[in-house]
Amino acid sequence: MSVPLRLGYVPLLDAAPLIIAEALGFAEEEGLTLDLHTAPSWASLRDMLAVGQVDAAQMLAPVPVAMALGLGRGTVRFEALCVLNLNGNVIGISNALAAKMAGAGYGFDFRDAAAAGWALLAAAPSLRIGVPYAFSMHRELLLYWLAASGAQAAQLDIRTVPPPRMAEALSAGEIDLFCVGEPWGSVAVENGSGTLLLPTSALWARAPEKVLAARLGWAEAEPALAGRLLRAVWRAGRWLSRPENHIIAAEMLTAQGRIVVSADLVERALTGRIVTAPDGREHLTPQLIEFFEGAAGFPWRSQAAWIGASLAGRHGLDVVEASASAADVFRSDLYRLHLRPAGAILPGASEKLEGALAQATAVPAERGQLILPADRFFDARIFDLAAPAR
C-alpha cells in the first residue's frame, strides 16, 4: 500500500529531484505517493515545514544551519537528510554595469571569479544586491567573493528578492546585481534586462546549494518513510545526471506549471550551455548544477561547518562552536543508513578538507571506487572543520 508524503518546493531547477521522483515513479516504486506543494518564497516554505503543512522540503542549505545557531525567526529546528544539488546559481548584473565593465576592458569569460570581482568593484563603488533569502548560499558565497575582492560591508546593500522576481527587479533598477538559482538568472538575459557574470561554481566548485530538510527528529521517528524518500530522491538525482535524459527532463520539469519558464531555458542549465548576454553570447560550464556524480547528494558535515563558520563571522558568534553545531545538522549518519542498501557509493569519512582538491581524486569509500571532483574555492583557501577559523 502506497503511503502519502507531502513535500514542499520553490519552482527552481534544483527542485528537480523531487519533481522527477514523483513524475517517473521512483517514489511509487518505494511505496510512496508524493504530494508536491509549491511555495512562492523561501520564507513561506520554511513556515510550511515548521508547522507541519509538509513533511519534508527542498531548502536552502544554510537555513537549517541558521536555525540550529538560533538565527532567524522561529524555534522549530530542521535537519538536512541529503544534499539535493551542488551549485546551480548564477550571478547577473545590469546591462548598464556590464557596459561600464566592458568599457574598462573586462572580457566576460564566465569563469575567472577573481578577475570578475576586481572588474566589478572598479566599475561600481557601491552595489544593490538581490538574493532570494537572508540565509542562503547566494548570500554567503557573494559575501565571501566580494570580501576577498576588496569590498567593504558599507558598499553592499543586500536585498531579499524572490527568485521569480529577480529579473524584474533588475529591469526596474531596484538592484544592480543578483545571485539566483537557474532558470531565473537566464530569464534576465532572455528578456534583455541583464548579463550573467559568473556561475557560483566559479566561487566554490562544489558548493552545497539545496538540501532535503525535515523537522528535527522526523527521520528517526519515521525511519521507513525517511528511507523510502531518500532512496527515491537518490534515484531521481542519478537519472538527472545522465546527459541523454536532459531534454526529456527539461520537458517534464516545465510541464503542468511546475517551473513556469520555457523548457529550453531549463535544458541550457542542465547541460551547462548558458546564454550569458542579450547579444547571444554563450558559455559552456560543465556541472553548472550537479545532482549525483561525485557523491553530490552526500551531506558532508564539513560543508555544514563551512556554512556555520560563515554565519558565525557575520553574526558575531563563536566560530568553533558554530561550526561544530552546524556539522550536526547534516545527517550523514542517516544518509548512510538508508542509502547503503540501495547500492550508493558512500565515502569512508563524513567530513573532509573543503576546497583541498585541485583535481579529481580517488578517496576511500565503504565499497567500490569513489572519485571526488575538484572542489576548490576561487581564492584557493582550504576549510578544515578541526580548525575552522576563517
Side-chain angles (χ1 to χ4, degrees), residues 6 18 35 44 56 64 83 91 97 132 176 231 240 253 277 281 298 351 375:
R6 300 161 299 174
L18 305 185
D35 183 10
S44 61
V83 173
I91 298 168
L97 185 50
D176 309 300
R231 288 189 293 273
L240 282 161
L253 293 171
R281 189 184 317 141
F298 187 79
E351 56 196 54
D375 70 343

Side-chain angles (χ1 to χ4, degrees), residues 248-265:
I248 185 63
E251 295 289 346
M252 295 176 71
L253 293 171
T254 54
Q256 302 175 23
R258 290 176 172 125
I259 302 177
V260 191
V261 298
S262 72
D264 180 57
L265 288 186

Side-chain angles (χ1 to χ4, degrees), residues 18 31 42 44 46 57 60 74 90 101 155 167 194 198 235 263 316 327 355 379:
L18 305 185
W42 292 110
S44 61
R46 174 206 61 204
L60 296 154
V90 292
M101 291 171 66
Q155 294 176 256
L198 289 170
R235 293 174 65 193
D379 57 358

